[in-house]
Amino acid sequence: MSTDSSPLPKRLDVVIIGAGFAGMYALHRLRELKLTMQVFEAGEGVGGTWYWNRYPGARCDVESLEYSYSFSDELQQEWEWPERFAAQADILRYANHVADRFDLRRDIRFKTRVKSAVYDPASCHWRITTDRGDLVDARFCVMASGNLSLPRVPDFKGLEAFKGKWYHTGQWPHEPVDFTGQRVGVIGTGSSGIQLIPVVAQQASHLHVFQRTANFSVPAVNRPLTKQQEEAYKREYRLHREEALRTPFGIGGHPPPQKYAHEDTEEARSESFEKKWHTGGNISFLYAYKDLLTNQQANETACAFVRDKIRQTVKNPEVAQWLMPDDHPIGTKRLCLDTGYYETFNRDNVTLVNIRKDPISEMTATGIRTARNTYELDAVIFATGYDAMTGAMLDIDIRIAGGESLQDKWAAGPRTYLGLVTAGFPNLLIITGPGSPSVKANMIAAIEQHVDWIRDLMAYVQAGGYQQVDADTEAEEKWVAHVNQVADSTLYPLANSWYLGANIPGKPRVFMPYVAGLDKYRAICDDVAANAYRGLTLAKSAS
Ligand code: NAP
């Protein structure tokens, strides 16, 4: 057992970076192969994104009974989810339960951030260093560092001069933050901002919401799960999981749509959207018609429906207008789920500041100055997102000894084979990497699929006595082209989203997730494995 201070073995089979849901399952599953392993985790506990995102209102947008591990029937039967959409605290409690139940902590070193991973082609090992001075060699390095784990605070002029407190949703303090009686500013209206704003509005003396781009949001219709609902679901858990495997998002319970939007009259469409609106959830809404994410006219019918809802809900017509998204098709950015978001703008203590019209020019000691106004604030919350999908990986100095770095290789955008491996970086395995469905599917289902595939690959490597696994450059090129081609057949590239890296100034504009669906992706990965890992180069000795 490795404690936080005990010395680590110098040479291991596997190092796993990150103890979120991906790292935890990788550790559990790879133990079957009797490998020596060490997980490094920057946080003080397990849970990854759910460890860091403790902001008020944080909640998953996939239903609890689906957003949970499926690998152990005992686990899924015994765990009780209190609500339809789990709150952050419940998901973190679940992650801790899993860590204890499967005795994971003994192989995890917490409060330890990996600084570099350098591959030595002569020994076919990665040399990993951490900010705690650890230095270990491992045959495989498994990246479980997450897709949304490098928070981004915009570099506003004067941030250091601000005398109040400021927070980022993705680095929230562990102790509760009470905004009672405070003048609070929130910058950002993505999923995080939209969840947080209604909750903070109930505490703050005044809340200013600084919105640059309006986002689409649909009601979560969250509610407590009754015992009967839970038991009925659990009786059929296996069937629900099997159904989920056959869907593009890895989520069961919502039959994929059969109709195109134009097949319904305007009235019937309106009824269909209305039903979805009251059912709650983003999958349900986007499943109204089968062409909502591929046909702009079809998509516009859904956009118009949501804009009408905003118009009907928000009393001030100018504020309502500002809240209506008009620069991207619905669903091409993550469709937000809310509880009372639009209603919040009817409160007397909430002001929407349109920073598209009146941009933020700087932060001052006492608040935020825009081109035309000054806002006095006690606290500022940045709900400004992440350097997504590649940020956490590129934050680590990953390179080949005496050769290329991953930063160099991905300078024009990430390139992978299946999102799992990247050519020229042998024995580096990526969980939910760019080029895989990851964020465009139920993350836990995507993680389980990746880890199971990696486990089988490692078993194959062990049995065959291989030392080195790499992607074939040609196979990688074909995969990258395929990922782009699939994205281009949808409306996704029309939005300036983090899927494209568009939220980070200077980041290459490349569509990163694979959007053909987790079901299709799984079939491709299975086929690759069944064909002696087609597209991978396996070697028995150093090259
Ligand atoms: P996000 O979707 O990237 O939204 C960031 C927001 O900050 C946007 O409104 C953006 O405006 C604004 N912003 C960024 N830089 C700014 C600047 N310099 N000045 C003014 N505004 C600025 O980030 P997020 O809300 O944290 O969500 C990220 C992802 O995490 C989600 O898409 C989702 O996948 C996941 N998430 C999920 C849940 C859930 O399960 N319910 C909850 C939270 C997050 P622009 O659009 O103009 O750039």
Side-chain angles (χ1 to χ4, degrees):
M1 170 166 178
S2 95
T3 64
D4 272 0
S5 53
S6 61
L8 293 171
K10 282 274 169 277
R11 190 158 268 214
L12 296 157
D13 294 317
V14 182
V15 157
I16 299 170
I17 303 179
F21 281 88
M24 287 201 294
Y25 183 52
L27 174 61
H28 174 68
R29 199 72 225 277
L30 295 179
R31 276 183 181 167
E32 286 170 12
L33 303 179
K34 311 270 179 266
L35 300 167
T36 52
M37 285 187 283
Q38 182 63 49
V39 182
F40 291 113
E41 165 56 51
E44 284 183 43
V46 296
T49 201
W50 301 105
Y51 170 89
W52 298 103
N53 277 267
R54 296 165 188 248
Y55 61 85
R59 186 177 289 289
C60 190
D61 59 6
V62 176
E63 293 180 50
S64 321
L65 287 154
E66 298 273 332
Y67 188 84
S68 49
Y69 288 121
S70 71
F71 70 84
S72 157
D73 192 46
E74 294 79 21
L75 171 68
Q76 67 186 9
Q77 291 296 337
E78 78 199 8
W79 183 260
E80 288 174 12
W81 291 107
E83 293 178 273
R84 179 183 181 197
F85 292 100
Q88 173 271 334
D90 287 320
I91 303 176
L92 189 57
R93 207 161 47 78
Y94 171 72
N96 277 290
H97 171 75
V98 171
D100 292 336
R101 196 186 192 290
F102 297 96
D103 190 20
L104 300 180
R105 291 178 210 279
R106 67 183 154 95
D107 290 323
I108 306 175
R109 185 160 284 211
F110 294 104
K111 291 193 282 183
T112 308
R113 190 173 282 281
V114 170
K115 301 301 286 177
S116 68
V118 179
Y119 186 72
D120 172 23
S123 66
C124 304
H125 272 72
W126 285 93
R127 171 155 292 188
I128 283 122
T129 65
T130 74
D131 62 355
R132 302 256 308 252
D134 305 298
L135 191 158
V136 288
D137 286 357
R139 167 83 63 214
F140 288 99
C141 179
V142 176
M143 300 304 303
S145 46
N147 291 132
L148 295 157
S149 43
L150 190 67
R152 183 178 161 266
V153 177
D155 62 353
F156 288 126
K157 188 176 147 209
L159 175 60
E160 65 298 336
F162 181 57
K163 293 227 165 58
K165 289 229 162 111
W166 66 264
Y167 309 86
H168 188 284
T169 48
Q171 285 174 324
W172 203 260
H174 287 205
E175 60 284 358
V177 182
D178 184 6
F179 293 107
T180 304
Q182 295 194 18
R183 300 161 302 173
V184 182
V186 175
I187 303 174
T189 51
S191 299
S192 305
I194 281 177
Q195 287 187 329
L196 166 131
I197 285 162
V199 183
V200 175
Q202 288 170 30
Q203 297 174 359
S205 63
H206 201 95
L207 176 66
H208 282 93
V209 176
F210 295 85
Q211 176 192 271
R212 189 165 67 182
T213 310
N215 244 314
F216 287 103
S217 186
V218 297
V221 191
N222 184 38
R223 56 178 171 252
L225 272 178
T226 65
K227 266 263 157 286
Q228 292 91 316
Q229 283 166 334
E230 200 181 347
E231 282 167 10
Y233 200 91
K234 285 183 174 175
R235 272 197 297 278
E236 311 260 286
Y237 228 140
R238 197 176 53 79
L239 295 177
H240 290 302
R241 298 293 196 188
E242 282 172 9
E243 183 204 342
L245 293 184
R246 293 191 296 271
T247 68
F249 296 113
I251 298 174
H254 301 279
Q258 301 302 325
K259 267 190 177 176
Y260 292 100
H262 71 82
E263 291 181 84
D264 266 348
T265 62
E266 200 179 328
E267 200 186 350
R269 262 199 311 269
S270 195
E271 262 174 43
S272 161
F273 288 135
E274 191 71 37
K275 206 164 137 212
K276 300 284 186 181
W277 186 264
H278 292 286
T279 304
N282 42 21
I283 294 296
S284 162
F285 196 81
L286 292 173
Y287 266 3
Y289 295 103
K290 65 201 250 185
D291 52 349
L292 288 187
L293 293 172
T294 51
N295 178 313
Q296 217 158 349
Q297 264 178 314
N299 187 284
E300 183 49 37
T301 63
C303 295
F305 176 86
V306 177
R307 287 191 203 110
D308 267 351
K309 285 287 181 197
I310 299 171
R311 199 174 286 115
Q312 289 156 19
T313 309
V314 179
K315 292 187 182 136
N316 179 323
E318 188 181 38
V319 173
Q321 193 62 42
W322 290 350
L323 286 168
M324 288 179 210
D326 59 5
D327 74 330
H328 63 280
I330 190 168
T332 55
K333 286 183 174 184
R334 180 79 169 194
L335 178 55
C336 304
L337 273 201
D338 72 273
T339 301
Y341 176 64
Y342 294 116
E343 291 81 349
T344 298
F345 293 92
N346 293 331
R347 294 176 67 106
D348 292 337
N349 71 333
V350 175
T351 305
L352 183 66
V353 183
N354 184 337
I355 54 171
R356 174 101 33 211
K357 282 177 179 290
D358 183 17
I360 294 177
S361 45
E362 63 178 330
M363 291 189 63
T364 66
T366 56
I368 290 177
R369 188 172 293 140
T370 60
R372 278 181 251 139
N373 280 300
T374 313
Y375 300 89
E376 298 289 311
L377 302 167
D378 302 306
V380 171
I381 301 170
F382 291 99
T384 43
Y386 299 84
D387 184 349
M389 305 208 66
T390 54
M393 275 187 75
L394 294 179
D395 204 37
I396 299 169
D397 181 14
I398 298 175
R399 61 176 64 244
I400 304 299
E404 198 181 26
S405 70
L406 192 62
Q407 286 265 9
D408 291 339
K409 179 179 172 185
W410 286 5
R415 303 175 69 74
T416 67
Y417 177 50
L418 305 172
L420 283 154
V421 271
T422 184
F425 291 78
N427 298 359
L428 181 73
L429 295 161
I430 311 167
I431 305 177
T432 68
S436 77
S438 63
V439 291
K440 290 311 300 166
N442 173 355
M443 274 304 248
I444 298 193
I447 285 166
E448 288 188 328
Q449 185 272 339
H450 269 192
V451 171
D452 292 347
W453 193 90
I454 288 172
R455 181 246 169 242
D456 291 350
L457 171 65
M458 285 197 184
Y460 185 85
V461 165
Q462 261 184 341
Y466 297 108
Q467 303 289 306
Q468 192 167 271
V469 181
D470 199 355
D472 182 62
T473 311
E474 202 183 316
E476 180 169 287
E477 272 168 22
K478 280 193 185 147
W479 183 253
V480 171
H482 176 59
V483 170
N484 282 311
Q485 190 189 24
V486 173
D488 288 342
S489 69
T490 70
L491 303 177
Y492 285 112
L494 298 181
N496 282 321
S497 66
W498 56 258
Y499 301 144
L500 265 168
N503 63 327
I504 303 291
K507 188 164 173 170
R509 214 183 146 91
V510 173
F511 195 83
M512 294 181 278
Y514 179 57
V515 289
L518 186 57
D519 50 346
K520 292 206 174 70
Y521 175 78
R522 178 188 310 277
I524 294 169
C525 290
D526 288 351
D527 187 56
V528 164
N531 284 283
Y533 293 94
R534 188 186 55 231
L536 293 184
T537 314
L538 291 115
K540 292 201 173 171
S541 56
S543 40

